[in-house]
Amino acid sequence: MLKQIVEVKDISKYFGTVAAVDHISFTVWPGEVLGLLGPNGAGKTTTIQLLLGLTTLTHGQIEILGMDIKTKRNEILQRVNFSSAYISLPSNLTVYENLVVFAKLYGIRHYRNKIMELLEFFDLLHILNSRTGMLSTGQMTRLNLTKSFINDPEIIFLDEPTASLDPEVASRVREKLKKIQIEKNVSMIYTSHNMNEVELMCNRVLFIANGKNVLEGTPKEIKEKSGSLEDVFISIARATNFQINNCKDERL
Amino acid sequence: MISRITGILLRHLYLYQRSLVRWMELFFWPLMNLLLWGFLTYYLRNIEMPIAINYLIGAMILWDILYRSQQGITLSLTEEFWSKNIINIFITPIRTYELVIALCIIGFLKAFMTMGFLILISWYLYQFNLFDLGFSLAPFIGNLILFGWSIGMMTMSLVLRYGNAADAFIWGIPFLIQPISAVFYPVDVLPPFLKFCAYALPSTYIFEGMRTVLNEGVFNISLVYLSFCMNLLYLSAGAFYFSWMLRRVREKGLLSKTSIE
Ligand SMILES: Nc1ncnc2c1ncn2[C@@H]1O[C@H](COP(=O)(O)OP(=O)(O)OP(=O)(O)O)[C@@H](O)[C@H]1O
Ligand SMILES: [Mg+2]
C-alpha cells in the first residue's frame, strides 16, 4: 500500500494576530512533486518552515514519514532536506569543504564518493576547490541543490529554488532536478512564481491565499476547468487583494 | 553525535587554512595587547615599583583566555547569520546541545592557542613566566574558559534573537565584566556596591587568586572551588537561556526572518 510521505492536518500559524497559515491541509505521496502556489505573502514559506520545524505550529498536526514533527523532529530531519534561493553556504569555505561539513552533519559515512557523484551530476566537479563566494548565481543554486541531496532525502522542500536565475540557466536547473527526482523517486514540495516551471515540475498543485487552501488539483485538471495556471493565479491573487481591500474599507 | 559535532568543528576550522585575518585574531591582536601591558610593566618595574606589578602581564593573559572563549562561541554562531547559513544548520539533525558543545570546543581551541602564544612571547620578552602560578594555573584557566562559555551562551542567545543588531552585546559585554571582575587591580579598590557585583562573578576569584599566588606564593584552593561552583551555575543559566531563546525564536518564526529575507 502506498503510504503518504507528508500528511498536513489542519495547520495554522499565527504571528500575533496575523494568520500566516490558516487551517491548511494536504498530503504528499511517494515520488510526487507538489507545487505550493500563491501570491506574495500567501503563506508558502511559512508552511515550509512549519514542515521543517523551524517555526512551531499554533494549531494542527504535521506528520512526515509517519512521524510527528513535534516529537520526532531530529529523526525526520535526517531524512528530509531543504533548499531555497534565499539561503546560502559560507562563502569563505570551498565547495568541497562546505559539502563535507554537511555530510558530517547528516552522519554520511563514505561521503567522498557521495559528494563527487553529486557534484558530477550537477556539473560542479570542476569548481570543487573554488571558494563558494566566487560562484555565479547559477552555480550557487546547483551547489545548494547538491547540499540538499547529500543525505539521500526521501522528501525535499524547495522554496523558489530558481528565483533570480536567467531563463536558460533556470531551465537547465529544472532539467537536472527533474532527472534526479525521477532517478531517486524523491518527493518534493516546490514553490515558484513561474507557472511554466510549475507545470513542468509538479504532478499536483495547491493554491493558497491569505494562508488558506483555495484550489487543488493536477495542472491538467486545473487547465481544463479554468484556462492556464497563469490565469488561475492572477484571478486568485486579484480576489485576495479585493478581500484585503474590502477588510480595510470596513475598518475605516 | 560525534560526526555532527565534527561537522560544525570542520566548518570553522577549515577557515584557518588560508585566512590571515583569523590567525591575526588569534595571535596578532593579543600580541599587541601583551606588548602594551608588558612594556608598561617593564617600565614600572624599572622605576622600582614593587615586583607585585608583575601580575599585570599575567592578568592580561588570563583575561584574554576568558575573552577568546566567549568570542569563539558567539562569533561562530554570528557567522552563520552573516553567511545566510543558519537555516541550513538548523535543518540538519543536529541537537541543540551538540551545537553548543561544538561551539564551546571552538571557543576552547581559540583560547588555548592564543594563551600558548602569549605565554611564549611574555616569557621571551619580559621574562614573565605564567607557569610561576604552578599547580594553580590549570584550575585558573579551566574556570576562565568555563566562564567564557557561559557569557558566550548568553551573547549567542541575543544574536539568535536579534541577529546582527546584537553586535554591540557580543563586543560590549566582556568589557562590561572586565572592570568589575578585578582583572587588573584588587577587588579592594572597588566601591562597596561594585565589590558585591565582583564577588558575584566567578572570574573575580581567579584574578584575585592569581595575585595572591604571584605576590605571596599562596594558593587558596577554596576560592577556585567557589569559582567552579559558580561557573556550574552560570553555565546552566547560559544553557537554559539559550534553549529558551531558541524556543521563542521558533515561535516567532525568526530563524528564517533574520537570514532568509
Ligand atoms: N516571522 C514572522 N513574523 C511576523 N509575520 C510573518 C513572519 N513570517 C511571515 N509573516 C507574515 O506571514 C505572511 C505569510 O508570509 P510568507 O513568507 O509565508 O509568504 P509567501 O507565500 O512565502 O510569500 P512570497 O511569495 O513573497 O515568498 C505574510 O503576511 C508575512 O508578512
Ligand atoms: Mg516565500
Side-chain angles (χ1 to χ4, degrees):
Chain A
M1 204 186 75
L2 220 53
K3 187 131 177 46
Q4 57 271 52
I5 300 282
V6 174
E7 172 95 79
V8 169
K9 295 180 203 157
D10 196 29
I11 58 166
S12 301
K13 177 67 194 181
Y14 284 79
F15 294 115
T17 53
V18 180
V21 173
D22 198 1
H23 298 287
I24 287 184
S25 303
F26 61 86
T27 307
V28 182
W29 299 96
E32 188 181 40
V33 181
L34 175 74
L36 201 55
L37 311 183
N40 290 134
K44 305 178 295 293
T45 299
T46 307
T47 304
I48 291 184
Q49 308 287 321
L50 290 168
L51 287 163
L52 290 164
L54 286 172
T55 304
T56 46
L57 285 165
T58 307
H59 175 264
Q61 195 190 8
I62 294 175
E63 270 184 20
I64 299 176
L65 302 161
M67 295 176 282
D68 193 310
I69 190 77
K70 276 187 197 147
T71 52
K72 298 267 181 196
R73 181 167 184 261
N74 286 78
E75 287 83 346
I76 293 173
L77 289 179
Q78 182 66 47
R79 294 162 64 186
V80 310
N81 216 314
F82 166 75
S83 179
S84 161
Y86 302 108
I87 62 175
S88 196
L89 293 164
S91 55
N92 35 20
L93 296 190
T94 68
V95 167
Y96 182 73
E97 288 166 352
N98 262 318
L99 292 171
V100 172
V101 168
F102 282 93
K104 288 273 178 195
L105 285 168
Y106 284 102
I108 315 290
R109 276 174 210 277
H110 304 289
Y111 55 80
R112 198 179 157 81
N113 291 344
K114 175 103 234 154
I115 290 174
M116 293 304 172
E117 206 178 281
L118 283 170
L119 283 176
E120 183 163 14
F121 180 83
F122 283 107
D123 299 327
L124 292 172
L125 209 46
H126 62 292
I127 49 164
L128 178 75
N129 293 316
S130 304
R131 300 271 191 101
T132 304
M134 296 297 163
L135 269 51
S136 71
T137 319
Q139 290 170 329
M140 192 60 219
T141 306
R142 281 178 283 140
L143 177 58
N144 275 335
L145 290 172
T146 307
K147 181 237 97 184
S148 60
F149 278 94
I150 200 134
N151 59 330
D152 283 315
E154 288 156 75
I155 177 156
I156 298 192
F157 307 114
L158 297 173
D159 194 7
E160 303 189 38
T162 59
S164 74
L165 296 183
D166 79 47
E168 192 269 334
V169 174
S171 115
R172 276 197 292 151
V173 167
R174 270 197 303 273
E175 273 165 31
K176 286 283 178 198
L177 256 180
K178 194 73 206 167
K179 187 158 176 253
I180 198 166
Q181 189 265 324
I182 291 170
E183 255 171 38
K184 303 198 180 247
N185 194 37
V186 47
S187 307
M188 287 181 182
I189 293 183
Y190 199 102
T191 84
S192 169
H193 289 300
N194 176 343
M195 293 303 121
N196 290 330
E197 171 168 307
V198 169
E199 245 185 282
L200 286 167
M201 291 298 302
C202 304
N203 310 105
R204 197 155 53 87
V205 298
L206 172 69
F207 275 98
I208 60 176
N210 280 339
K212 297 187 180 67
N213 287 25
V214 272
L215 185 64
E216 192 180 340
T218 66
K220 196 160 162 262
E221 284 166 1
I222 292 177
K223 275 177 18 186
E224 276 166 10
K225 249 189 267 170
S226 1
S228 70
L229 283 184
E230 191 105 15
D231 290 341
V232 175
F233 188 103
I234 291 172
S235 61
I236 287 175
R238 291 211 174 124
T240 326
N241 284 338
F242 180 72
Q243 272 176 12
I244 292 173
N245 288 338
N246 267 3
C247 291
K248 276 186 198 148
D249 288 346
E250 273 165 28
R251 259 185 276 142
L252 281 175
Chain B
M1 173 176 164
I2 299 292
S3 170
R4 289 187 291 264
I5 293 177
T6 330
I8 299 286
L9 290 183
L10 282 176
R11 183 255 178 271
H12 293 284
L13 295 180
Y14 273 146
L15 296 168
Y16 286 87
Q17 290 173 61
R18 46 185 175 258
S19 168
L20 186 66
V21 179
R22 279 165 204 276
W23 286 106
M24 275 175 69
E25 179 210 322
L26 286 186
F27 297 118
F28 184 76
W29 297 117
L31 175 65
M32 290 299 115
N33 234 344
L34 176 70
L35 292 182
L36 177 77
W37 290 100
F39 285 118
L40 179 69
T41 311
Y42 211 68
Y43 165 74
L44 293 174
R45 212 195 258 161
N46 285 343
I47 55 172
E48 312 243 320
M49 290 282 282
I51 196 74
I53 213 74
N54 245 339
Y55 68 68
L56 280 180
I57 299 181
M60 186 264 141
I61 297 177
L62 290 186
W63 168 254
D64 210 77
I65 294 171
L66 173 71
Y67 184 62
R68 279 317 126 188
S69 161
Q70 179 260 350
Q71 295 278 298
I73 75 175
T74 307
L75 286 182
S76 302
L77 190 82
T78 313
E79 263 191 66
E80 309 298 9
F81 279 97
W82 287 337
S83 54
K84 296 202 217 160
N85 187 38
I86 192 92
I87 298 234
N88 281 324
I89 302 281
F90 275 101
I91 61 151
T92 67
I94 194 159
R95 289 165 205 276
T96 310
Y97 71 84
E98 293 169 341
L99 181 67
V100 172
I101 290 176
L103 296 181
C104 286
I105 296 176
I106 299 280
F108 170 78
L109 289 176
K110 284 190 176 180
F112 202 74
M113 304 226 13
T114 306
M115 178 189 68
F117 176 69
L118 292 185
I119 288 178
L120 270 178
I121 298 287
S122 62
W123 175 74
Y124 179 74
L125 286 182
Y126 312 118
Q127 292 75 52
F128 174 83
N129 186 358
L130 196 69
F131 291 106
D132 283 347
L133 287 171
F135 288 119
S136 61
L137 188 61
F140 282 177
I141 292 172
N143 271 308
L144 290 173
I145 287 180
L146 287 184
F147 191 47
W149 285 352
S150 331
I151 317 170
M153 273 191 240
M154 292 181 199
T155 43
M156 187 162 76
S157 313
L158 295 171
V159 172
L160 203 58
R161 173 68 181 77
Y162 299 103
N164 294 340
D167 264 7
F169 288 106
I170 309 175
W171 304 106
I173 285 184
F175 291 99
L176 204 74
I177 288 172
Q178 196 182 47
I180 313 174
S181 198
V183 180
F184 296 113
Y185 38 75
V187 183
D188 280 343
V189 307
L190 293 172
F193 172 68
L194 285 183
K195 240 182 224 165
F196 177 77
C197 298
Y199 285 123
L201 299 171
S203 46
T204 306
Y205 303 97
I206 301 305
F207 292 110
E208 290 278 275
M210 173 202 70
R211 276 185 293 268
T212 357
V213 174
L214 289 181
N215 292 347
E216 298 152 33
V218 185
F219 172 43
N220 189 343
I221 189 127
S222 60
L223 286 187
V224 169
Y225 190 66
L226 185 63
S227 170
F228 180 70
C229 292
M230 289 177 86
N231 263 324
L232 292 185
L233 224 78
Y234 273 86
L235 269 178
S236 339
F240 181 79
Y241 188 56
F242 183 69
S243 68
W244 176 78
M245 200 58 116
L246 193 57
R247 264 202 309 277
R248 253 173 73 93
V249 163
R250 284 215 167 108
E251 258 161 48
K252 289 177 173 282
L254 292 179
L255 275 179
S256 46
K257 283 297 149 202
T258 20
S259 87
I260 277 195
E261 276 152 30

